[in-house]
Amino acid sequence: MRTRRTGLVSVVAAAAAAAASLSTRHMGQKHSMCPINGCNRHSYKSECLLQSLHCLHLRTAAEETRMTAETAPSAVAPPGAEAAKQQYYDPEYARMEAWLDEHPDFAHDYFLRKATRQVVDAWLVAHATPTPSSAETLTSPSHGAPSRAGSGATTPVRKISAHEFERGGLLKPIVNTIDGTPTFLSEEGSGTTVGVSGGCIGSTGGRSQRRSRHELRHLDEKELIFELVKDICNELDVRSLCHKILQNVSMLLHADRGSLFLVQGCASKRYLVSKLFDVCSRSTLQEMEKKDEIRIPWGTGIVGFVAESGEPVNIPDAYKDDRFNHDIDVLTGYKTRTLLCMPIKDFTGDVIGVAQVINKQTDTCFTANDEKVFASYLQFCGIGLRNAQLYEKSQLEVKRNQVLLDLARMIFEEQSTIEHMVFRILTHTQSLIQCQRVQVLLVHRASKGSFSRVFDFEANDLNGEDNDSRTSPFESRFPINIGITGYVATTGETVNIANAYEDDRFDPSVDEGTNFKHKSILCMAIKNSSGQIIGVIQLINKFNDLAFTKNDENFVEAFAIFCGMGIHNTHMYEKAVIAMAKQSVTLEVLSYHASASLEDAQRLKELYFQSLRVPSAQHFQLHDFKFDDISMDDDDTLKACIRMFLDLDFIERFHIDYEVLCRWLLSVKKNYRNVTYHNWRHAFNVAQMMFSIITATQWWKIFGEIECLSLIIACLCHDLDHRGTNNTFQIKASSPLAQLYSTSTMEHHHFDQCLMILNSPGNQILANVSPDEYSRIIKVLEDAILSTDLAVYFRKRGTFFSLVQSGTYNWMRDDHRELLRGMTMTVCDLAAITKPWDVEKRVAELVSSEFFEQGDMERQELNITPIDLMNREKEDQLPLMQVGFIDSICLPIYEAFAALSDKLEPLVEGVRQNRVNWLRLAGVSQDEDHNELEEL
């Protein structure tokens, strides 16, 4: 198999004859094969050291693209030309190539001295050309994605063709694959050297051979300057260029060493930074780069004076000049005698740097002719430096665009939930800007100055054990500085504060009681495609106590555009998911409750005509805490509900049509599924307990008519369309309900079903209330139904117990009364635990049976092992589990209610008695009670 060699291999191979001859002449002698290192006539050792690392990489890459001459002949074709004429290597060349492989130091040194610019370009083209397979993968990331409707009318067409990018030759691929992941970022170490004359590649640019220092010393002044100008004209790496300038001017002026400072900063805050300091003829670029940069204020010292005035300074005795800083000599251990400092100007005459040389080697002062030569050479250096700086800026701009494109790609990669989206924004922003905290605050749609959700991220959040598994951010961990974030959210202006405590908008109280102190803050608005402010991103405390720079602002501003689009798209996606889930739930409900039977219609009509003979509350024993519906049929339960409405005067007070009430009750009953426990009978029993509590305690006076009506409706509707499974099952099964409601899943669905029935034609029992009364009823109704979620009960009961124990409650306060309503709903929902033993045991069996059915579904459908409470295999532990349920949930709340009203003492007594009964059923004595529960 024949492989085409690159120009680099041919040049290096061509040197093998000389190397073989040299090896023969020095056979048996301990002598280096490198002519440079073995001959005192040349002084290229430092250059070889500078270039060695990169050129070794070139040689290695060349080896990978060729077949050795020992195995097959190779052909060399000029780059860009057809291989019409092929050259074959004979065995003699194979031996030379083998020798070069064994002496890589000589090979790369020879290349540095002999390789032409054309050879270098040929090597670059050969190695930069993508393979057909890789070119096929460079498809647009957005190919095939539908554009946003209407965007064509508002977004102008970019008047640029892809053909224009071909004028500069073959460009690198836009998309790369790193670690198997497509990215816009270039691979480490690639991309910045193609076409660059810096480093070892540029050191030979435009010349067939670089002259040695010994040869340069034999040239006259004009020829020397010309050679040194050629040496730097193609150098585009700023540091390498500075190093060459210093070494060249030291040669020109016979100076011992030199330093170069570049101007940085804006016009009002300019300063000088030493790219390379104290460079001598023996200094290598690698050694110089290890030194820390030195920053000199504008106008300070000799260097600052030259930069500010633009005039050269020639000092014959440094220690006699007040501007000279003696500390530098103390720090370096080097004594400065004479010094020549001169500005470096670009073609416009602006000072872009300062070069200085120290100590003329002849122990004399720098002459006027030295100043003239120095100034002449620095004119070319100014142009070269400006070109190198422009190139460096262009490379940085390319890199910045790559970073932003990659950030955009990562954002738009995950738009399923707002949590995932914001988590990506937080982590990548913190990594990019390097700060301690990042917050994303989503603006409340109704009030622009407040926030609906606040996400936060700290630098050490990913250092924990769950760093790999975390996909969502923390919420509301830290206090919000509403002064700054609210200002940005309302005005859209960017706020960049170097010291938070010096800004009047900052509230110092957010740091009180924490181990955190705000220092620097960068806060910026996040807008959607319409320009509306949808959030705020806030970065706090840049690392190393630095202030956020204008560059940071530019990055965050550009990144915020993608964030705004990402958050907006995620909101749209969530709305679409919710709409689909609602549709799925609605179809499911309609399929179950679509049509009423003829018998139901007749029963409704019959119940309406017999409404005047509804039995009394005493007849149904509705005031009795020991009420049992076992002997009642469904018609009796409906009549009992009508009686509760009559006795609480709801029909007269709220002008409820009698037929509408009957039909509403029938509709509510119909919308309960035929599940084992959470059915119509359970809802009726909860309503009866609410009726008996508010009448026995006279709490109807505390709640008022509107809240009492809301509570009775809530009790009757609090488990509408219950499926016999709890919230946890819905989440595990990823049901449409779980997608629709992230918290209190079933309770939200019960409330929505309640509203649907209340607004259905013929069921509008609230049709005659005022708008304000309707809004109040719906609000209380929602709070009451959501309160039946035990998770909500656990969250609120601590506050309730504290109020009861301290006696500091005030039922005139809305929040205290809301808390009482919620706890009352829980008391009524769990009321079976207070009933006589036969009722309690029967209800407990129904509950456990429904739980076991859910456990069976979890085994069969979800392939998971249910918890003990729902595990049919743990049925023998039911009595002890009931005792645990009583102790942890029931007993505390009923004892608190008994403390509020002695009328409710029978409830807590019933709970205690049933606890004893369950212990007896479990075969546990009172003394063994505690230990058994601990083991359970």
Side-chain angles (χ1 to χ4, degrees):
M1 175 181 178
R2 297 177 177 176
T3 58
R4 187 168 60 91
R5 297 177 178 275
T6 64
L8 174 62
V9 177
S10 66
V11 170
V12 175
S21 175
L22 185 63
S23 175
T24 303
R25 289 199 303 270
H26 292 274
M27 188 174 297
Q29 301 179 25
K30 189 176 182 181
H31 198 298
S32 170
M33 289 298 101
C34 176
I36 291 177
N37 294 332
C39 181
N40 294 328
R41 292 188 301 107
H42 298 288
S43 57
Y44 280 96
K45 185 175 181 180
S46 60
E47 284 83 351
C48 292
L49 292 173
L50 288 173
Q51 316 290 353
S52 60
L53 181 61
H54 198 168
C55 290
L56 183 59
H57 166 70
L58 299 185
R59 180 188 176 279
T60 304
E63 286 182 340
E64 294 173 354
T65 59
R66 62 168 171 79
M67 179 183 291
T68 60
E70 290 100 337
T71 57
S74 300
V76 178
E82 296 181 1
K85 183 178 180 180
Q86 295 183 335
Q87 179 181 354
Y88 295 95
Y89 293 133
D90 57 24
E92 181 65 23
Y93 281 94
R95 287 193 295 272
M96 287 188 286
E97 182 176 351
W99 185 91
L100 289 174
D101 290 339
E102 295 170 359
H103 299 82
D105 291 339
F106 172 79
H108 93 262
D109 181 78
Y110 181 85
F111 171 77
L112 291 179
R113 291 184 293 108
K114 298 293 186 179
T116 65
R117 179 63 177 270
Q118 288 73 22
V119 171
V120 174
D121 290 342
W123 185 93
L124 291 173
V125 171
H127 287 73
T129 305
T131 61
S133 60
S134 64
E136 292 172 1
T137 63
L138 303 182
T139 56
S140 171
S142 59
H143 177 70
S147 60
R148 186 167 58 89
S151 62
T154 58
T155 304
V157 177
R158 308 300 178 196
K159 297 183 178 179
I160 188 169
S161 168
H163 178 69
E164 296 187 32
F165 294 98
E166 298 174 2
R167 293 183 299 181
L170 184 65
L171 299 180
K172 297 173 300 182
I174 297 175
V175 181
N176 297 292
T177 301
I178 300 178
D179 296 333
T181 303
T183 176
F184 292 100
L185 297 175
S186 300
E187 294 188 48
E188 197 67 27
S190 70
T192 58
T193 59
V194 177
V196 182
S197 297
C200 68
I201 299 177
S203 62
T204 60
R207 299 187 302 277
S208 59
Q209 180 179 357
R210 186 182 184 188
R211 298 199 180 197
S212 67
R213 290 186 181 275
H214 178 76
E215 292 173 323
L216 291 174
R217 290 192 181 100
H218 290 81
L219 300 176
D220 60 31
E221 186 176 280
K222 290 184 178 180
E223 290 177 334
L224 179 60
I225 291 179
F226 180 71
E227 285 295 325
L228 296 182
V229 167
K230 288 199 297 181
D231 187 47
I232 65 169
C233 66
N234 290 322
E235 182 63 69
L236 292 178
D237 179 76
V238 174
R239 283 187 176 273
S240 180
L241 177 59
C242 292
H243 186 263
K244 286 185 177 182
I245 290 173
L246 289 174
Q247 290 199 324
N248 291 345
V249 296
S250 297
M251 178 185 298
L252 272 172
L253 305 178
H254 303 287
D256 186 59
R257 59 188 61 203
S259 300
L260 193 146
F261 301 82
L262 296 181
V263 177
Q264 292 188 1
C266 58
S268 60
K269 295 182 179 179
R270 287 188 291 180
Y271 55 91
L272 295 149
V273 172
S274 68
K275 286 295 182 182
L276 295 170
F277 184 78
D278 227 14
V279 176
C280 64
S281 60
R282 300 175 303 277
S283 302
T284 65
L285 181 59
Q286 287 85 347
E287 292 172 352
M288 293 295 99
E289 287 181 334
K290 294 178 181 178
K291 294 184 178 181
D292 295 331
E293 289 185 342
I294 298 176
R295 180 174 296 192
I296 298 178
W298 191 257
T300 302
I302 296 174
V303 174
F305 170 80
V306 171
E308 186 177 46
S309 63
E311 299 296 328
V313 170
N314 189 347
I315 302 175
D317 190 344
Y319 281 78
K320 292 182 180 180
D321 194 296
D322 295 334
R323 294 167 298 184
F324 179 72
N325 186 357
H326 299 236
D327 295 336
I328 300 296
D329 280 5
V330 175
L331 183 64
T332 60
Y334 180 86
K335 185 174 181 180
T336 302
R337 297 186 303 274
T338 58
L339 186 148
L340 177 57
C341 192
M342 191 165 287
I344 303 175
K345 300 180 181 180
D346 60 10
F347 65 94
T348 64
D350 294 330
V351 177
I352 61 173
V354 173
Q356 70 175 13
V357 288
I358 302 170
N359 294 354
K360 195 153 184 174
Q361 293 174 349
T362 57
D363 290 333
T364 60
C365 301
F366 293 100
T367 65
N369 185 60
D370 291 334
E371 292 183 32
K372 181 180 177 182
V373 172
F374 200 12
S376 298
Y377 187 67
L378 289 185
Q379 288 181 1
F380 297 101
C381 295
I383 297 173
L385 269 175
R386 175 59 74 193
N387 290 339
Q389 289 175 337
L390 290 174
Y391 178 79
E392 187 178 59
K393 285 183 179 179
S394 70
Q395 292 298 100
L396 289 174
E397 187 66 33
V398 169
K399 191 70 173 178
R400 182 169 69 168
N401 292 337
Q402 288 177 342
V403 169
L404 289 174
L405 281 172
D406 218 51
L407 290 172
R409 179 191 63 80
M410 287 183 284
I411 284 179
F412 294 120
E413 212 173 42
E414 176 56 71
Q415 299 185 63
S416 59
T417 67
I418 195 67
E419 291 83 2
H420 292 174
M421 167 64 62
V422 173
F423 185 71
R424 283 175 172 259
I425 293 173
L426 292 172
T427 53
H428 289 100
T429 302
Q430 189 279 327
S431 175
L432 178 67
I433 307 300
Q434 294 290 291
C435 57
Q436 291 183 356
R437 283 184 183 174
V438 183
Q439 287 181 309
V440 169
L441 305 91
L442 301 184
V443 173
H444 199 285
R445 295 179 183 177
S447 175
K448 293 298 182 183
S450 60
F451 303 99
S452 58
R453 299 183 74 176
V454 179
F455 304 92
D456 47 65
F457 181 82
E458 268 192 328
N460 57 357
D461 278 350
L462 295 182
N463 295 333
E465 296 179 355
D466 61 339
N467 59 337
D468 292 331
S469 59
R470 174 167 288 279
T471 57
S472 59
F474 294 96
E475 287 195 52
S476 304
R477 264 191 307 178
F478 311 125
I480 304 173
N481 179 31
I482 197 65
I484 293 177
T485 55
Y487 174 82
V488 174
T490 52
T491 65
E493 297 179 10
T494 297
V495 173
N496 189 347
I497 304 173
N499 189 337
Y501 282 80
E502 294 179 358
D503 194 287
D504 296 334
R505 292 165 296 188
F506 177 73
D507 182 12
S509 63
V510 297
D511 287 345
E512 293 176 3
T514 67
N515 295 325
F516 187 86
K517 182 178 180 180
H518 285 71
K519 298 175 185 176
S520 55
I521 295 176
L522 176 58
C523 194
M524 194 171 291
I526 299 175
K527 301 178 181 180
N528 60 16
S529 57
S530 302
Q532 298 173 330
I533 299 174
I534 60 175
V536 170
I537 183 168
Q538 180 175 234
L539 291 78
I540 304 171
N541 293 0
K542 193 171 181 178
F543 285 163
N544 301 320
D545 291 331
L546 298 175
F548 292 101
T549 63
K550 184 64 178 178
N551 182 59
D552 295 331
E553 288 186 38
N554 293 338
F555 259 117
V556 176
E557 181 182 18
F559 189 36
I561 295 175
F562 298 118
C563 296
M565 291 188 291
I567 292 174
H568 177 75
N569 291 346
T570 304
H571 279 313
M572 295 299 100
Y573 178 80
E574 288 181 336
K575 286 183 178 180
V577 171
I578 289 175
M580 292 174 64
K582 281 186 175 182
Q583 181 186 30
S584 179
V585 172
T586 302
L587 290 174
E588 183 185 0
V589 171
L590 289 177
S591 65
Y592 187 84
H593 305 294
S595 59
S597 64
L598 180 62
E599 291 77 9
D600 288 339
Q602 292 175 345
R603 186 182 303 118
L604 175 63
K605 182 178 180 179
E606 185 178 343
L607 186 62
Y608 171 73
F609 284 115
Q610 296 180 358
S611 59
L612 296 179
R613 294 193 294 273
V614 175
S616 65
Q618 288 75 17
H619 172 81
F620 290 122
Q621 297 181 343
L622 295 178
H623 295 288
D624 192 353
F625 291 140
K626 299 180 180 180
F627 172 81
D628 184 11
D629 67 331
I630 190 67
S631 60
M632 301 175 65
D633 58 24
D634 287 348
D635 287 345
D636 289 336
T637 60
L638 294 171
K639 292 178 182 178
C641 290
I642 294 174
R643 172 50 60 191
M644 287 186 273
F645 273 73
L646 288 170
D647 286 5
L648 293 172
D649 200 27
F650 293 156
I651 296 178
E652 292 295 328
R653 166 63 180 82
F654 297 103
H655 309 291
I656 301 175
D657 183 85
Y658 200 79
E659 180 181 356
V660 172
L661 175 62
C662 295
R663 189 171 182 181
W664 177 79
L665 287 171
L666 277 172
S667 297
V668 169
K669 174 181 173 295
K670 180 176 177 55
N671 277 269
Y672 275 94
R673 299 195 181 197
N674 188 26
V675 295
T676 306
Y677 174 69
H678 290 95
N679 48 39
W680 162 251
R681 287 304 181 107
H682 166 65
F684 169 67
N685 277 275
V686 173
Q688 181 275 327
M689 180 57 71
M690 179 65 73
F691 175 81
S692 61
I693 287 178
I694 61 179
T695 54
T697 59
Q698 300 291 295
W699 282 357
W700 58 268
K701 297 178 181 178
I702 294 175
F703 294 132
E705 295 169 326
I706 289 179
E707 293 182 9
C708 283
L709 173 63
S710 303
L711 289 173
I712 293 297
I713 294 176
C715 289
L716 290 171
C717 299
H718 81 281
D719 274 332
L720 276 172
D721 197 46
H722 201 290
R723 287 93 188 282
T725 54
N726 60 12
N727 292 335
T728 304
F729 180 85
Q730 300 298 327
I731 295 173
K732 290 178 180 178
S734 299
S735 68
L737 284 177
Q739 297 175 19
L740 192 56
Y741 314 105
S742 57
T743 59
S744 301
T745 301
M746 292 305 302
E747 287 73 23
H748 275 105
H749 178 57
H750 303 325
F751 172 67
D752 282 354
Q753 291 300 110
C754 175
L755 285 184
M756 183 188 72
I757 297 174
L758 285 172
N759 292 319
S760 298
N763 295 276
Q764 298 166 332
I765 60 175
L766 304 178
N768 297 321
V769 301
S770 68
D772 290 341
E773 287 178 334
Y774 180 83
S775 298
R776 177 62 180 160
I777 291 171
I778 297 302
K779 176 65 171 63
V780 174
L781 185 59
E782 180 179 16
D783 291 340
I785 292 179
L786 294 183
S787 295
T788 59
D789 183 0
L790 285 180
V792 176
Y793 160 71
F794 280 119
R795 190 167 65 243
K796 294 183 176 181
R797 73 174 188 172
T799 304
F800 179 73
F801 291 162
S802 298
L803 289 177
V804 174
Q805 292 170 4
S806 62
T808 56
Y809 51 81
N810 179 7
W811 304 134
M812 297 297 293
R813 289 181 50 173
D814 289 342
D815 56 334
H816 286 190
R817 203 165 61 255
E818 178 184 344
L819 198 57
L820 178 62
R821 291 197 305 268
M823 294 298 112
T824 306
M825 287 295 297
T826 301
V827 164
C828 296
D829 197 18
L830 305 177
I833 203 73
T834 69
K835 299 296 178 74
W837 173 241
D838 58 332
V839 178
E840 152 66 356
K841 190 171 182 296
R842 184 178 73 243
V843 172
E845 289 174 351
L846 292 175
V847 174
S848 61
S849 178
E850 188 174 281
F851 282 172
F852 292 154
E853 290 170 5
Q854 175 176 325
D856 296 341
M857 292 171 62
E858 290 179 356
R859 286 183 187 277
Q860 298 169 6
E861 299 178 12
L862 306 181
N863 294 320
I864 60 176
T865 302
I867 61 175
D868 291 349
L869 190 64
M870 301 183 180
N871 193 342
R872 195 179 298 275
E873 298 174 359
K874 302 292 182 67
E875 187 174 2
D876 58 325
Q877 298 180 12
L878 177 62
L880 282 179
M881 286 190 284
Q882 280 293 106
V883 175
F885 176 72
I886 290 172
D887 290 345
S888 61
I889 297 177
C890 303
L891 200 54
I893 186 66
Y894 285 107
E895 288 177 343
F897 266 65
L900 288 176
S901 173
D902 56 1
K903 300 291 186 180
L904 303 180
E905 187 65 33
L907 297 180
V908 71
E909 288 299 327
V911 175
R912 291 169 180 156
Q913 184 57 49
N914 283 328
R915 184 181 187 279
V916 173
N917 292 332
W918 283 115
L919 283 173
R920 184 172 62 250
L921 192 62
V924 179
S925 65
Q926 293 290 331
D927 295 335
E928 298 171 331
D929 176 9
H930 180 73
N931 293 333
E932 287 287 342
L933 290 177
E934 285 289 332
E935 293 177 2
L936 182 62

